[in-house]
Amino acid sequence: MTSKSLWMSIAVAPQAIPLQGDERCDVVVVGSGIAGLSTAYELSQRGRSVIVIDRGPIAGGMTARTSAHLAPLCDDLMGEMQKIKGEDQSKLFYQSQAAAVDRIEEIQKREGIDCDFRRLDGYLFQGDDMPADVIDKELDAVRAVGAPVERLVGVPLNECDTRHALRYPRQATFHPLKYLAGVAEACAKRGVRFFANTAADEVVEENGAVTVKTARGLIRAGHAVVATNSSIVDRVALHSKTSPYRTYVIGFAINRGALPDALYWDTEEPYHYVRLQPGDNHMDFVLVGGEDHKSGEVDDADKRFERLEQWARGKMPMLKDVTHRWSGQVLDTIDYAGFIGKNPGSEYIYVATGDSGQGLTHGVMGAILNATLVTGGESKWTELYAPDRKPLKAAKNWVMENSTALKNLAEYVTPGEISSADELEPGEGAIIRQGLRKIAAYRDAKGNVHQHSAACTHLGCHLHWNSFESCWDCPCHGSIFGPEGQVLNAPAISGLTSIS
Ligand SMILES: Cc1cc2nc3c(=O)[nH]c(=O)nc-3n(C[C@H](O)[C@H](O)[C@H](O)COP(=O)(O)OP(=O)(O)OC[C@H]3O[C@@H](n4cnc5c(N)ncnc54)[C@H](O)[C@@H]3O)c2cc1C
Ligand code: FES
């Protein structure tokens, strides 16, 4: 993906080189986002020897595209979660996510990581033309799980002084890559080894242990934790319970102090959110996000950014220039909780997937849970996040989300978007029909045409071009491929088949 986030100027473990041959360790962690690095931290704290590998640079995945709200409450509203998971499980969910925020606070303090971590208020407010009763229902649901909350009228955004709202104290935010750079340093001091540009091609159990196969060598370990955001060790089961959504962020410059430092989000669907991040020379950044849609379903990022900017300038007339525009992907689950723990059918392989838009807290909570399980401990959160759970009350969400795959496969019989690659301008991609097959064609800046099969290498869904990020998105389970066919996001493991 070509866009750059506000965080990407910080390199995490830049010294990491590719794997240089076979290795051994107690636990191999595949994936180096917040889930993988936090897992390495927790395990090295418990005295385990750990190797972390990543297909790309360390921490170059979705964590580098986040918007950094550390939220103890359910991102999709506590009321919605309670309808599916009931009060007791929702209470446990809140406690586990709050424990993740506490853990980040504790680690940055203990390791002396300068990452702009701060506790601050969060405001959920009535969206434009939205009824106020959503706020009342959510107030009841939040009180039921025992989280601190205050009902009020008015938030400090333009024309929002009569909006009904909830104030949540002790939310938090930070600079995610400054934090992970510090976590990686702390890990390295405890002997964790990092290998960048090393993709896991296979993770297999044999003879009571695990082998991770890569093109650069084998890693043999007692256990593996697969933290690749979307799981690479499960072909179908977990993926049928998650759905990929693309989401957008704009960064604006703002004079320091012009907006109270807090987290703001509204009740619209999808919701808008606002966060602040310290900058230099009395200027800060305001991040405004939203406009989510199912991945690959539309290719209209410019219109989405326009609408976001209009909304943001309406709510904050003091905003200055746009400094950043980026997008990323989140994986919603059918019951709003992630899938963390033993991989279904495995003995020594653990997974952390299904971020549900709160992947930062899920990643850290997942690290605590997986490190406990890998080292033979027990946790009160095992059942809540069990990857093999089948939430019956979420059946409606399951049917709705899986209809994407059926709709998608029908696209193989539709005409191409263009009839020949001659119609492509430099930098453009489109689908061409050639007999019975569909081709994903892209013309690079030098005029060379790259043609690949339009079938995703995960389970064969039909890819869609994303012109803002110059990549091919798979609407089914979230694989992303570069314009030259290389994998950019799991669950795909191999690149697209080249067609000459
Ligand atoms: C725009 C946006 C805003 C967001 N806002 C928030 C927010 O405010 N709060 C919040 O909590 N969450 C938020 N999220 C979600 C959150 O940022 C992510 O869910 C989280 O960072 C994902 O972390 P991760 O470690 O699971 O995955 P990643 O950071 O994606 O890491 C996975 C890593 O696995 C590697 N990998 C994949 N396949 C292989 C392989 N075969 N071999 C080796 N390595 C592999 C990838 O290269 C990648 O580096 C947001 C996300 C986006 C996109
Ligand atoms: S991600 Fe599963 S088919 Fe593409």
Side-chain angles (χ1 to χ4, degrees), residues 35 54-55 62-63 65-67 69 200 275 355 358-360:
D54 200 290
R55 167 184 290 290
M62 290 305 160
T63 305
R65 299 182 165 270
T66 192
S67 60
H69 177 175
R275 341 214 183 282
D355 52 56
Q358 53 190 116
L360 299 174

Side-chain angles (χ1 to χ4, degrees), residues 365-445:
M365 204 288 309
I368 302 169
L369 176 54
N370 276 334
T372 304
L373 299 177
V374 163
T375 53
E378 288 181 4
S379 168
K380 59 184 173 187
W381 302 326
T382 308
E383 190 194 332
L384 172 68
Y385 292 104
D388 61 359
R389 70 184 186 275
K390 294 185 184 66
L392 287 179
K393 287 194 179 153
K396 197 170 125 214
N397 287 353
W398 188 90
V399 172
M400 210 168 70
E401 298 296 4
N402 280 286
S403 62
T404 302
L406 293 177
K407 245 182 12 202
N408 177 281
L409 291 172
E411 288 180 41
Y412 278 105
V413 295
T414 59
E417 292 162 343
I418 54 172
S419 47
S420 126
D422 295 344
E423 294 172 43
L424 290 172
E425 295 292 331
E428 276 182 4
I431 299 292
I432 304 174
R433 169 169 290 290
Q434 196 181 71
L436 286 179
R437 64 184 179 180
K438 287 280 193 84
I439 295 174
Y442 166 73
R443 185 183 294 279
D444 66 25

Side-chain angles (χ1 to χ4, degrees), residues 349-364:
I349 302 172
Y350 291 76
V351 291
T353 184
D355 52 56
S356 291
Q358 53 190 116
L360 299 174
T361 41
H362 263 116
V364 173

Side-chain angles (χ1 to χ4, degrees), residues 235 239 456-463 474-481 490-492:
R235 293 286 284 172
H239 298 292
C456 173
T457 55
H458 175 230
L459 289 178
C461 280
H462 186 290
L463 301 174
C474 181
C476 288
H477 317 108
S479 292
I480 302 174
F481 300 87

Side-chain angles (χ1 to χ4, degrees), residues 180-303:
L180 287 187
V183 168
E185 257 182 53
C187 285
K189 279 187 201 141
R190 290 189 191 96
V192 175
R193 287 173 294 158
F194 299 98
F195 295 104
N197 301 312
T198 303
D201 294 329
E202 218 181 331
V203 184
V204 289
E205 293 185 326
E206 44 195 17
N207 308 323
V210 180
T211 303
V212 173
K213 300 183 180 176
T214 84
R216 299 172 180 278
L218 304 177
I219 305 173
R220 295 195 176 82
H223 294 87
V225 178
V226 175
T228 48
N229 192 232
S230 181
S231 175
I232 57 160
V233 282
D234 165 85
R235 293 286 284 172
V236 181
L238 288 176
H239 298 292
S240 70
K241 296 189 283 188
T242 58
S243 299
Y245 281 79
R246 192 162 277 278
T247 172
Y248 299 83
V249 183
I250 307 186
F252 298 87
I254 188 171
N255 286 331
R256 184 155 303 153
L259 180 72
D261 189 12
L263 300 152
Y264 309 86
W265 65 105
D266 67 17
T267 57
E268 293 182 36
E269 178 62 47
Y271 64 81
H272 302 95
Y273 58 78
V274 178
R275 341 214 183 282
L276 275 151
Q277 171 60 25
D280 297 326
N281 301 326
H282 307 291
M283 295 298 288
D284 288 337
F285 296 100
V286 171
L287 301 184
V288 178
E291 288 288 340
D292 308 11
H293 61 83
K294 261 194 137 172
S295 292
E297 220 164 57
V298 286
D299 182 25
D300 59 355
D302 283 345
K303 280 194 194 137

